[in-house]
Amino acid sequence: MDQGAYLAALQKYCPYADIRVWQDVVETNWQAEYALVWKPENELFQHQQSLVAVFNLGAGIDALEKLKDLPQDVPLYKLREAGMGQWMLEYVLYGLIHFGRHFDRYHRHQTAGRWEPKNTRSLREKRIGILGLGPLGQYVANSLHDMGYNIAGWSRSLKNDLPFPQSTGLESLNGFLAQSHFLVNLLPATDETFHILNADRLMRLPRDAVVISCGRGSIFDEHALLLQLQTHHLRGALLDVFEHEPLPIEHPFWKQDNIIVTPHIAAPTQADDAIKQVLADILDIELGGDQLY
Ligand code: GLV
């Protein structure tokens, strides 16, 4: 996270604000009203008495929720789309095209000098299952739907006005997985989503399905996912997020040739968009709104 970019954006849109950077503050008695944080230390919250709201400078609040002194009575805001949607969409499109248009095969064939065009069905005939319909999941799903792809969504609660089929609840998950030729993980890390894709559920995916994971890694039983890829029940995986990050050097994902590992870069927070959202939320609070996310 580029702190300089945030300070520049804050100063640009909010020139009169009293801004302190926590790492630079040596005295322990300073008090903030609005804390903008990304994976802060617990210590940050130990002496705060004037907090009005905490803003997480990312979409996922899992790191923050683990802190024991995170004040329970102060509203916590997270980034919604905030300019990250297009990045996430590009990441997902890369995985769809890489595997769906057989670029993985052509890349392998190149090393052997093999000229072997493969007949293939249109990607539009394949079902793309989006797990997680939060702001980023909806952005990706709606965009792909608008591009003519065959989309279905699954999430914890039903969302209004989505132009593609959606299902909700654990009881519908196996059916959803069974129809997903491409499975896109955009779920957050919560107690309910931990290892939700275990060995049994991963086996429900159709043969040759592709997994694209860019929400949180803890939703997979990684050992089970690896097995499905080693046995070629699954065709391939593009993975950006992992149960432990950085992905440990000895982790077998690194060496598995039908997995592409990327270092949590799918959708970096966009400082300008993030600060605009935070400022709009602060204005809303100051004007007496009570919109919580
Ligand atoms: C990044 O992982 C985020 O939560 O925004």
Side-chain angles (χ1 to χ4, degrees), residues 92-107 109 116-124 126 149 182 210 235:
V92 172
L93 274 171
Y94 178 80
L96 290 177
I97 291 167
H98 181 83
F99 291 106
R101 296 287 308 270
H102 302 289
F103 290 153
D104 56 335
R105 292 200 168 106
Y106 297 131
H107 186 63
H109 290 179
E116 274 179 31
K118 184 171 167 53
N119 282 336
T120 184
R121 279 164 51 207
S122 162
L123 258 179
R124 291 182 181 202
K126 307 266 174 104
Y149 292 107
F182 290 86
V210 167
R235 160 83 183 285

Side-chain angles (χ1 to χ4, degrees), residues 38 58-60 84 216 264 267 269:
W38 179 242
M84 293 182 284
R216 283 293 182 265
H264 202 140
T269 307

Side-chain angles (χ1 to χ4, degrees), residues 38 56-62 79 84 136 214-216 241 264 267 269:
W38 179 242
N56 185 55
L57 290 174
I61 52 173
D62 38 301
L79 291 187
M84 293 182 284
L136 290 174
C214 40
R216 283 293 182 265
V241 288
H264 202 140
T269 307

